[in-house]
Amino acid sequence: MNLIFLGPPGAGKGTHASRLMAQEQIPQISTGDMLRKSIREGTSLGLKAKQFIDAGELVPDEVVIGLVKERLKEADCQKGFILDGFPRTVEQAEALSSFVKIDKVVNIFLADEIILKRLSGRRVCPSCNGTFHVSRLADEKICPDCGKDLIQRKDDQPETIKNRLDVYARQTAPLIAYYQAKGLLVTVPGDGSVDENYQGILKVLGINE
Ligand code: AP5
């Protein structure tokens, strides 16, 4: 199954995509994770992307389109994949449709006030890629999965979160109507517990746990 997870920052795209990846044995392709890895490794792509990510702006279309096009050619994507954070503009969606067929677009819906709370409390593990919320951590500095130090993403500062929400509304939200018109969109609430929201996603996809 070729899937897109769409939704505002903090909707839970990464959390649910990683769970579905483990369950269905298809890769989660997060452009945000790929770009952050390039930044950590100091590649020329990472250097180009850093200024945009830190400011909460979108990285130019041609950069991410090239990245995803190459990734989707890899062997592990041939049985299906979950695109997490791509496409984010109509131009990206048009490019994507020229090189792959999408089966469903899962649109996760969430109000801005909840997003602000979630993202300002998010901690991530740069080692195992785990994502956590401080409210559910015994020690907010240590990864409960691998024991390494947790960090707060630079773009999870309140002012940058507000800008990301604005960018989402202007540049990404038009994809909801775009995919609805193509008959591919399914919408699920993102404001329940992680388990409730995940069950909602399985249901619209017709998958049993
Ligand atoms: P990216 O990494 O894709 O960030 P994002 O879309 O802003 O999404 P987030 O990772 O912030 O949120 P999420 O929906 O995955 O939520 P999560 O599961 O972590 O992109 C970062 C930047 O990279 C962009 O700003 C841009 O600069 C660049 N970029 C990336 N892709 C690009 C593209 N295609 N084009 C151009 N530029 C691009 O959950 C959030 C938190 O909520 C967690 O702490 C989680 O534990 C908690 N939580 C609490 N309750 C729940 C619940 N019920 N469900 C899920 N999570 C919950």
Side-chain angles (χ1 to χ4, degrees), residues 59-135:
V59 173
D61 283 336
E62 65 275 14
V63 175
V64 276
I65 290 169
L67 205 60
V68 172
K69 191 173 181 181
E70 286 311 303
R71 179 67 183 88
L72 290 179
K73 286 180 188 162
E74 288 177 32
D76 64 334
C77 297
Q78 305 319 309
K79 279 198 309 192
F81 52 79
I82 311 158
L83 285 169
D84 160 12
F86 182 94
R88 259 177 152 96
T89 62
V90 171
E91 191 174 343
Q92 290 178 19
E94 290 283 318
L96 180 68
S97 68
S98 73
F99 51 81
V100 82
K101 181 182 166 292
I102 295 298
D103 298 311
K104 273 213 170 92
V105 178
V106 179
N107 173 39
I108 308 175
F109 173 80
L110 193 65
D112 287 3
E113 311 83 74
I114 306 177
I115 290 174
L116 267 167
K117 275 191 206 145
R118 273 195 192 172
L119 292 185
S120 48
R122 174 166 61 181
R123 298 294 179 271
V124 293
C125 176
S127 178
C128 72
N129 237 6
T131 296
F132 312 95
H133 194 270
V134 287
S135 60

Side-chain angles (χ1 to χ4, degrees), residues 103-183:
D103 298 311
K104 273 213 170 92
V105 178
V106 179
N107 173 39
I108 308 175
F109 173 80
L110 193 65
D112 287 3
E113 311 83 74
I114 306 177
I115 290 174
L116 267 167
K117 275 191 206 145
R118 273 195 192 172
L119 292 185
S120 48
R122 174 166 61 181
R123 298 294 179 271
V124 293
C125 176
S127 178
C128 72
N129 237 6
T131 296
F132 312 95
H133 194 270
V134 287
S135 60
R136 292 194 288 269
L137 286 169
D139 181 341
E140 64 178 71
K141 293 198 175 72
I142 306 291
C143 176
D145 291 346
C146 75
K148 298 274 167 51
D149 287 351
L150 293 173
I151 58 164
Q152 181 172 32
R153 276 170 45 175
K154 215 169 175 176
D155 61 350
D156 278 347
Q157 302 296 328
E159 276 317 303
T160 316
I161 297 171
K162 283 183 192 147
N163 192 41
R164 287 162 64 200
L165 287 171
D166 191 44
V167 167
Y168 173 79
R170 281 187 286 112
Q171 297 185 259
T172 307
L175 288 178
I176 296 173
Y178 175 91
Y179 282 118
Q180 196 149 33
K182 292 188 184 299

Side-chain angles (χ1 to χ4, degrees), residues 2-18:
N2 297 346
L3 301 173
I4 293 172
F5 277 17
L6 183 68
K13 303 181 294 295
T15 300
H16 300 307
S18 95

